[in-house]
Each structure stands twice: as structure tokens, then as C-alpha cells.
Amino acid sequence: MNKQKERNEFVLKATCVADSGIVSVVTTFLAERGCYISELAQFDEEESGNFFMRARFHIENETHELADLKAQFPEVAEQFKMQWEMVTVSAPMKALIMVSKFDHCLADLLYRLQKGELNMEITAVVSNHKDLRPMIEREGIRFIYLPVTKENKLSQEEALLDIVEETGAELVVLARYMQILSDGLCQKLSGRAINIHHSFLPGFKGAKPYHQAHTRGVKLIGATAHYVTSDLDEGPIIEQSVQPVDHTYDANKLVAVGRDTETVALANAVKLHTEHRVFLDGNKTIIFK
């Protein structure tokens, strides 16, 4: 796809209570305004009774612009009590990255960004440690040091929210940020903060989970990327990555495999979110890949 056409591509995301005629009304609305739908996906979730729809389109009729569609679509949305958004495909999503001392997830995101695999703009990187500052500033990215203690945790979270607002960040990525966010912060970042953590069967909590896994002789190493909620590591899952291992893997080798699964799961989750493919449905996700 050439650059000019890519700039004219848009995505409509819509969700509402399932009802008849939704697809017909929405597609008719777009067609009547000279829009060509190049990708369309919809799903009825029977358990929740909700309907989800994602349409990618471009405007062939030069008399219409995205602003016109946004101004006129509320009449359709009101008919079905929809939650919706229309976005430009080529517009990079502004993202704030949070890290501690581990660099593998951040390095992977930076590499994919440089290769054009992720359509986002990193507005800043926030960390509770200074270890990764040289790496971040070498990339010309703003580094913000926010040390966290038990005494200043809430005030630092307020500072973080100020940074999110100041930078216009639409997404917050916890790329191995080793701090538990408060319930209040999780609620304020609901649906726009992604975390990554290891995942095993059985689960291992506490210190050195990969060493615990080695002791138990696990056969699968995994990682889960999910939206942040007040329930630690229990948010709606976006992406999971697994890799088989065997008895020849010592604890250090398991840690290395874990780094790989974490980077893959997080990068895929970020890509899905920035392409506006993820819908929240309670504590789970609907994803049109």
C-alpha cells in the first residue's frame, strides 16, 4: 500500500448490546458517504450479550472527510447505544513506557519500532531506577526518573498521571516495571495500560519463579500480556506466548527462554492494541486479528 493511500485509511471500532441490523446500518452509513470497506469483522458474545465490530475503510468520495463521518456517526451510535471511535490508521499511537532494571522487553520494543513493525510514538520512558537511562537517552527518548518508596508511592503515582496527561500518552506499557500499581491508578489507566509477566502451569509466585520452575521440572515456559487491573496479574489477557522445555534446561537457561516469551507476548499485545484490534468485554478481551 502506498503512503498516500495509507494516510487515507481509517478504523471504526464499535460495541453495543447485540441487536439485529447493526452491521447493515453501519455499512450502509459508510457506503453512502463514499467509503470502501477493506476489512470487516464482527462478533456476538453470547454470555455477555454484547456485539463487537471493527471496520477498516478508506474514503473514495473526496467530498467527505473523517471529520464529517465523526460528526454524523453519533446518530447511528445513539440508535444502538454504541461506544465507538474512528481513528486514522497511519497516526502513531502515543505510548509511555515504564521499566525498572530489566531491559529485554524495552530493547525489543525499540527494535520493532525502528523496523516499522509498531505504529507508535514513545513519548517518554519512566523508571524507578537509573540503570537504563543511558540506553534510553541514546535513542533520543526522554527519560524520567521516578523512584518509588512505601512513603512516596501515592505521590509518585500522581506525578505519573501528570506525565501521562502532559505527553498525551494513549497507552502505558509496563515493560517489566517491577512495582505494583495502586488500585486507584489501575482504575485511571483501565484499558490503556499493558503489563507482561511470566506464566507457568503450575503457577509460581514470589522470588525467582524460573528457579522454582526448574525445581519442579516444568515442561512449558510462558508469558502473558494483559491489561492492568487492581487484581495483580489477573487483568484481561491480550496475548500469550509459550515454549516447550525439558530436563536439560537449568535455571539460567529457563530465564533466557522466559525473556524470549516475554518479549514476544508483549510486542504482539502492543501491536494488537495500537492497531485498534482489541475490545474489552468484562474481564476478557475480544480480538480481531
Side-chain angles (χ1 to χ4, degrees):
M1 180 180 295
N2 62 50
K3 289 288 185 180
Q4 181 60 39
K5 186 169 183 183
E6 185 179 343
R7 284 196 294 269
N8 198 34
E9 290 277 337
F10 310 103
V11 165
L12 165 65
K13 285 181 65 180
T15 181
C16 60
V17 175
D19 198 357
S20 60
I22 300 174
V23 175
S24 175
V25 170
V26 172
T27 55
T28 298
F29 171 88
L30 293 174
E32 288 178 345
R33 287 155 183 80
C35 300
Y36 179 87
I37 300 173
S38 57
E39 184 180 338
L40 181 66
Q42 70 273 342
F43 178 70
D44 280 2
E45 174 49 66
E46 293 185 2
E47 290 185 5
S48 65
N50 291 326
F51 171 84
F52 304 89
M53 180 179 184
R54 179 184 185 273
R56 177 167 173 153
F57 63 94
H58 63 267
I59 304 172
E60 295 185 318
N61 187 338
E62 295 182 357
T63 62
H64 289 87
E65 297 181 354
L66 183 63
D68 300 323
L69 301 184
K70 284 184 174 181
Q72 297 164 12
F73 193 76
E75 185 176 342
V76 173
E78 178 61 27
Q79 182 178 345
F80 298 102
K81 308 299 181 185
M82 281 182 179
Q83 295 179 345
W84 64 281
E85 64 174 335
M86 284 186 194
V87 296
T88 304
V89 169
S90 61
M93 182 176 290
K94 292 185 176 182
L96 181 74
I97 311 295
M98 300 186 69
V99 296
S100 289
K101 293 184 176 183
F102 297 111
D103 64 357
H104 55 285
C105 285
L106 173 63
D108 183 73
L109 290 174
L110 291 174
Y111 178 80
R112 294 174 188 271
L113 187 61
Q114 291 168 357
K115 293 300 181 182
E117 296 179 19
L118 297 174
N119 188 27
M120 69 177 185
E121 172 193 347
I122 299 178
T123 59
V125 175
V126 172
S127 180
N128 57 329
H129 295 279
K130 294 183 179 180
D131 300 56
L132 302 185
R133 182 172 196 156
M135 171 186 175
I136 294 160
E137 293 186 338
R138 186 169 62 242
E139 298 294 327
I141 298 172
R142 178 184 176 192
F143 176 83
I144 301 173
Y145 176 50
L146 282 184
V148 178
T149 65
K150 186 181 297 183
E151 291 73 27
N152 74 359
K153 183 179 181 68
L154 292 181
S155 63
Q156 292 295 64
E157 289 190 345
E158 287 298 324
L160 173 64
L161 287 173
D162 289 341
I163 294 168
V164 170
E165 182 175 355
E166 174 210 335
T167 60
E170 305 162 82
L171 173 65
V172 176
V173 181
L174 280 63
R176 290 307 305 270
Y177 180 68
M178 308 305 289
Q179 283 286 327
I180 298 174
L181 305 185
S182 70
D183 292 355
L185 181 58
C186 289
Q187 291 172 9
K188 291 175 182 177
L189 295 178
S190 177
R192 57 185 179 128
I194 297 175
N195 192 19
I196 182 70
H197 67 87
H198 60 76
S199 54
F200 299 100
L201 289 174
F204 300 103
K205 297 185 181 298
K208 296 188 173 181
Y210 289 101
H211 292 72
Q212 296 180 54
H214 173 64
T215 301
R216 289 289 300 276
V218 300
K219 299 299 184 280
L220 281 176
I221 294 293
T224 297
H226 61 91
Y227 287 117
V228 173
T229 65
S230 56
D231 293 326
L232 181 63
D233 293 342
E234 299 292 337
I237 294 171
I238 307 169
E239 182 76 2
Q240 293 181 293
S241 176
V242 296
Q243 183 170 329
V245 295
D246 59 34
H247 61 277
T248 66
Y249 288 67
D250 62 17
N252 290 331
K253 200 169 181 180
L254 292 182
V255 170
V257 173
R259 286 197 296 266
D260 291 341
T261 59
E262 288 168 3
T263 57
V264 169
L266 182 60
N268 287 342
V270 169
K271 183 175 177 62
L272 289 167
H273 182 92
T274 56
E275 291 182 354
H276 307 279
R277 296 183 178 275
V278 186
F279 293 78
L280 279 170
D281 187 27
N283 200 43
K284 63 181 179 182
T285 57
I286 307 297
I287 300 175
F288 296 126
K289 294 187 177 181

